[in-house]
Amino acid sequence: DIQMTQSPSSVSASVGDRVTITCRASQGISSWLAWYQQKPGKAPKLLIYAASSLQSGVPSRFSSSGSGTDFTLTISSLQPEDFATYYCQQANSFPYTFGQGTKLEIK
Amino acid sequence: EVQLVESGGGLVQPGGSLRLSCAASGFTFSSYEMNWVRQAPGKGLEWVSYISSSGSTIYYADSVKGRFTISRDNAKNSLYLQMNSLRAEDTAVYYCARDALRSDYWGQGTLVTVSS
């Protein structure tokens, strides 16, 4: 199985900050990576698919890059509604594993 | 409007069974792959199972293989998860999600609690 490792596990930041979250796959997954945002008590929300494609309706301050084993999610200017937990998921091969999550908290 | 509505969760004793359902509307259900994803209390997301649009291809996480069965009824726009031999570690909110490569719609989740 492919293991997905996110870092950091948690990060504190302020509104307006630029934040980067990384996701590393234990083996190459080409560009078969998605990023999700989850708020407490809510279902996950798709942000990015195919490593760098922004899902319709998602603000352009979210961006992602990478291929192979290393990926990054960047939020260019944090907004209050961005404080949440973020997950990467590989879709290269089953089982479609998630990273452990990165909790983005208000500083 | 795309909607996915899970049902069937509840409290069950270890070793028991439950059948979850996911009712889909607002899109052509038979054209989409579907997944079940779960989240234990206070924990991260865990992919559980996948089914192709026709139902001919199925995959499971190792943690549920041999105990859970995914199925779908395209005529009824419904997805199912039959869960047998339930364990305490299966306690979680179970979500159905549309598509596999980019799960763009999710249900609200249904809570399964396995406890004596």
Side-chain angles (χ1 to χ4, degrees):
Chain A
D1 297 359
I2 299 174
Q3 308 303 315
M4 306 301 292
T5 304
Q6 290 181 231
S7 61
S9 295
S10 64
V11 57
S12 296
S14 301
V15 172
D17 284 353
R18 178 185 181 93
V19 170
T20 297
I21 298 169
T22 65
C23 179
R24 174 164 289 177
S26 60
Q27 62 190 76
I29 60 169
S30 185
S31 296
W32 297 112
L33 185 95
W35 288 97
Y36 296 90
Q37 176 195 68
Q38 188 181 33
K39 297 181 179 179
K42 300 295 187 180
K45 174 187 175 182
L46 176 66
L47 299 176
I48 303 281
Y49 63 95
S52 60
S53 296
L54 192 68
Q55 172 67 5
S56 175
V58 174
S60 59
R61 63 181 179 273
F62 290 91
S63 64
S64 177
S65 63
S67 67
T69 60
D70 294 308
F71 302 85
T72 61
L73 173 70
T74 299
I75 311 171
S76 60
S77 178
L78 277 171
Q79 299 301 301
E81 61 268 28
D82 299 337
F83 292 95
T85 300
Y86 293 84
Y87 296 92
C88 61
Q89 184 195 24
Q90 65 85 14
N92 180 76
S93 62
F94 288 101
Y96 280 1
T97 40
F98 287 91
Q100 81 278 15
T102 295
K103 187 173 184 179
L104 177 52
E105 299 175 302
I106 301 174
K107 183 182 286 183
Chain B
E1 179 192 6
V2 172
Q3 281 199 310
L4 296 170
V5 180
E6 301 97 337
S7 61
L11 175 64
V12 61
Q13 292 188 338
S17 298
L18 275 179
R19 188 195 197 203
L20 306 184
S21 299
C22 171
S25 60
F27 65 102
T28 304
F29 180 71
S30 59
S31 296
Y32 285 85
E33 305 164 330
M34 298 293 294
N35 289 281
W36 286 100
V37 175
R38 69 183 181 182
Q39 187 169 37
K43 303 297 185 182
L45 301 171
E46 180 187 14
W47 173 84
V48 173
S49 186
Y50 159 93
I51 188 167
S52 63
S53 56
S54 66
S56 61
T57 301
I58 285 172
Y59 294 99
Y60 298 100
D62 287 345
S63 58
V64 307
K65 200 174 296 181
R67 301 186 298 122
F68 290 12
T69 301
I70 191 172
S71 63
R72 64 190 297 160
D73 185 336
N74 286 341
K76 294 184 177 180
N77 293 334
S78 292
L79 174 72
Y80 305 102
L81 187 68
Q82 177 67 44
M83 304 186 296
N84 298 330
S85 303
L86 282 161
R87 306 167 179 167
E89 55 265 35
D90 295 319
T91 294
V93 173
Y94 285 73
Y95 297 100
C96 61
R98 186 179 85 162
D99 210 324
L101 301 180
R102 42 180 283 192
S103 296
D104 54 354
Y105 286 94
W106 297 62
Q108 83 288 351
T110 188
L111 176 62
V112 172
T113 303
V114 185
S115 175
S116 55

